[in-house]
Amino acid sequence: MAHVIVVTSGKGGVGKTTTSAAVAAGLAMKGKKTVVIDFDVGLRNLDLVMGCERRVVFDFINVINGDANLNQALIRDKRLDQLYVFPTSQTRDKDALKRNGVEKVLDELKQSFDYIVCDSPAGIEHGALTALYFADSAIVVTNPEVSSVRDSDRIIGILAAKSRRAERGEAPVNVHLLLTRYSAERVAKGEMLTVEDVQEILSIPLLGIIPESESVLRASNTGTPVIFDDQSPAGRAYSDAVARFLGETREMRFVKPERRSLFRTLFGRA
Amino acid sequence: MVLRLGEAGLADFEQTLRSQIGRSPQFFAKAPVVLDLKDSQGLAAAADFAELKRLLRGLDLVPIGVQNANPAQREAAAEAGLGSFNGAAAQRRAAPTQPAPRPAAGATRSMLVTEPVRSGTQIYARGGDLIVLKSVSPGAEIIADGHIHVYGALRGRAIAGATGDGAARIFVKRLEAELVSIAGRYLVSDQIAAEHLGRPAQIMLDDEHMVVLGN
Ligand SMILES: Nc1ncnc2c1ncn2[C@@H]1O[C@H](COP(=O)(O)OP(=O)(O)O)[C@@H](O)[C@H]1O
Ligand SMILES: [Mg+2]
């Protein structure tokens, strides 16, 4: 049975879309047939990050409304045959996400996919609530700063109270914390919350720590999910997180500031 | 602070309040508010109280409860998550002679919460004690007519003795609260002595004053 993962946060700009793209690609690399859906109606960022923006014909809303079928709308990734992108509409607004329509589309996707990754919009309104409603698991993307942690806490509460699993009294949504845009240097200087601070407040299991890394911007500018970049700390951290999601044990990396050798510092290489 | 709601209605109340706040914004910023309903006995719909709460929050005030409420108003206020307090005078008169009935010791009178209380949620233990085994997040609110026990960190707001029981207490394993209140008296986090922050504490009323005891 297919597994629905929502990537959510409450707060905007914390790395949900970056994470959705990386996690979906990571699952596909592990041989899981995966589709990543853009629930951020009106903004449409996912197809850019996935590098398929010039192949979009029909979108999620078209399929919900019955104007196109799944085969017409799904875009197969050029790098991984197990990976598909389901883009959203840039012209409509989030009210177009009718819950029944979304349910029908998800049920159809479940027939042929192992994992369905839902890239949630920011906020705690209709769009975000619809994205998390059908989730089996949630990846709560959080930056190590107070307002992001507070919004994540709020979203975790909503997952526990307003998801379909909660409403039906089924086993709760499996909630994971992914700490992103983590700068070990700034944490060491006391400018950002530590991993322990964040875990203490949110008290959910930690799936991974994604360091702040220039490679993320580079990756999204070239439409390549950062997980393809195995030289980049962020890419490697995402690979670890996906492995953990699938039950492997991996040590947490990138928690402490990197010790720079004198040699590297002298030559200005990070 | 206690704000009296007149007969004139919400729009009027808001306007008067806005101009008062305009004159001394420092004084009002984030001030906890108890609404006195003495002059507005007609207001009895939960929706009205929810609206009032929104209005007060919008003005950067912290609504915590109502006083001088009739039974219908108590009910409606509770539904909107506002505790009911006895007016200070009534409380003084009542306290020495007839202590409020304690909830019976039976398990049915206490409410047990085994999960963390997340930001944006509110829990009300009506008619009894509230026991929370995990932490209460900033932006969450726990309310009980009796005592409150928190076996994690209390980082949100805790309101014990919500219907006026001045004997109610708050026990926390780790005090980092935004606000603690007992029977209409309150302390905001700025008023809690630094020595108690992050530590186990007991909060009670002593002669109508909020007291924090470390242990
Ligand atoms: N680990 C990271 N290091 C550096 N920049 C990041 C990282 N994660 C995300 N970003 C950047 O942050 C911005 C917001 O990311 P995005 O994934 O679009 O967030 P959201 O979908 O939550 O709004 C983008 O410019 C992205 O490139
Ligand atoms: Mg996004």
Side-chain angles (χ1 to χ4, degrees), chain A residues 16-17 40 45 119-120:
Chain A
K16 290 180 293 297
T17 299
D40 203 349
N45 280 330
D119 180 19
S120 173

Side-chain angles (χ1 to χ4, degrees), chain A residues 233-249:
Chain A
R236 278 149 58 204
Y238 273 119
S239 298
D240 287 351
V242 170
R244 286 187 203 105
F245 188 87
L246 294 174
E248 291 174 38
T249 319

Side-chain angles (χ1 to χ4, degrees), chain A:
Chain A
M1 187 57 179
H3 192 91
V4 179
I5 306 171
V6 64
V7 178
T8 184
S9 70
K11 197 169 157 71
V14 293
K16 290 180 293 297
T17 299
T18 305
T19 299
S20 300
V23 166
L27 289 167
M29 287 172 181
K30 294 271 192 187
K32 310 290 182 194
K33 191 169 175 195
T34 305
V35 55
V36 54
I37 310 180
D38 192 347
F39 273 77
D40 203 349
V41 185
L43 287 176
R44 222 188 98 180
N45 280 330
L46 181 69
D47 47 333
L48 288 170
V49 175
M50 296 296 298
C52 64
E53 73 282 4
R54 285 190 284 179
R55 296 160 65 205
V56 175
V57 183
F58 295 107
D59 60 48
F60 191 30
I61 305 299
N62 293 141
V63 177
I64 289 175
N65 291 343
D67 300 332
N69 66 38
L70 273 180
N71 290 333
Q72 293 172 299
L74 286 182
I75 302 175
R76 186 178 198 151
D77 188 83
K78 287 190 168 158
R79 297 152 294 213
L80 296 167
D81 5 308
Q82 297 285 67
L83 181 59
Y84 289 77
V85 182
F86 202 165
T88 198
S89 161
Q90 197 147 23
T91 50
R92 306 291 298 272
D93 63 43
K94 293 186 176 52
D95 294 337
L97 286 172
K98 297 275 179 285
R99 195 175 271 182
N100 298 343
V102 172
E103 178 171 24
K104 252 182 77 192
V105 175
L106 290 180
D107 283 344
E108 202 180 330
L109 288 169
K110 284 180 182 176
Q111 311 282 321
S112 44
F113 284 92
D114 298 319
Y115 286 95
I116 301 170
V117 177
C118 305
D119 180 19
S120 173
I124 50 169
E125 276 86 45
H126 178 74
L129 296 183
T130 309
L132 67 77
Y133 186 72
F134 298 99
D136 299 306
S137 295
I139 297 178
V140 178
V141 178
T142 307
N143 295 164
E145 44 131 334
V146 172
S147 67
S148 172
V149 172
R150 174 101 49 126
D151 288 1
S152 293
D153 189 60
R154 186 92 200 253
I155 279 287
I156 298 167
I158 291 173
L159 282 160
K162 297 206 175 145
S163 60
R164 183 167 71 175
R165 283 176 168 272
E167 281 182 3
R168 291 184 174 174
E170 297 169 357
V173 179
N174 209 337
V175 183
H176 307 268
L177 170 63
L178 188 71
L179 203 53
T180 63
R181 311 207 63 170
Y182 179 89
S183 159
E185 284 80 16
R186 296 190 59 192
V187 171
K189 280 191 223 156
E191 294 171 1
M192 283 184 153
L193 299 175
T194 65
V195 183
E196 293 76 31
D197 288 340
V198 178
Q199 270 201 288
E200 154 80 24
I201 294 176
L202 295 181
S203 54
I204 55 171
L206 180 64
L207 184 64
I209 300 167
I210 313 299
E212 175 81 17
S213 161
E214 277 169 27
S215 56
V216 173
L217 192 59
R218 207 162 52 231
S220 72
N221 284 338
T222 57
T224 319
V226 69
I227 198 167
F228 282 104
D229 182 352
D230 55 14
Q231 298 304 303
S232 132
R236 278 149 58 204
Y238 273 119
S239 298
D240 287 351
V242 170
R244 286 187 203 105
F245 188 87
L246 294 174
E248 291 174 38
T249 319
R250 298 268 173 109
E251 206 185 317
M252 287 290 166
R253 298 191 259 183
F254 315 112
V255 183
K256 297 272 172 281
E258 212 178 302
R259 247 181 282 126
R260 296 175 185 215
S261 71
L262 182 62
F263 179 81
R264 287 165 108 199
T265 312
L266 279 177
F267 290 89
R269 287 185 41 205

Side-chain angles (χ1 to χ4, degrees), chain B residues 132-155:
Chain B
V132 179
L133 298 186
K134 300 277 173 62
S135 294
V136 178
S137 293
E141 196 169 71
I142 54 174
I143 306 170
D145 290 343
H147 308 299
I148 290 178
H149 307 252
V150 179
Y151 291 94
L154 171 62
R155 301 194 175 96

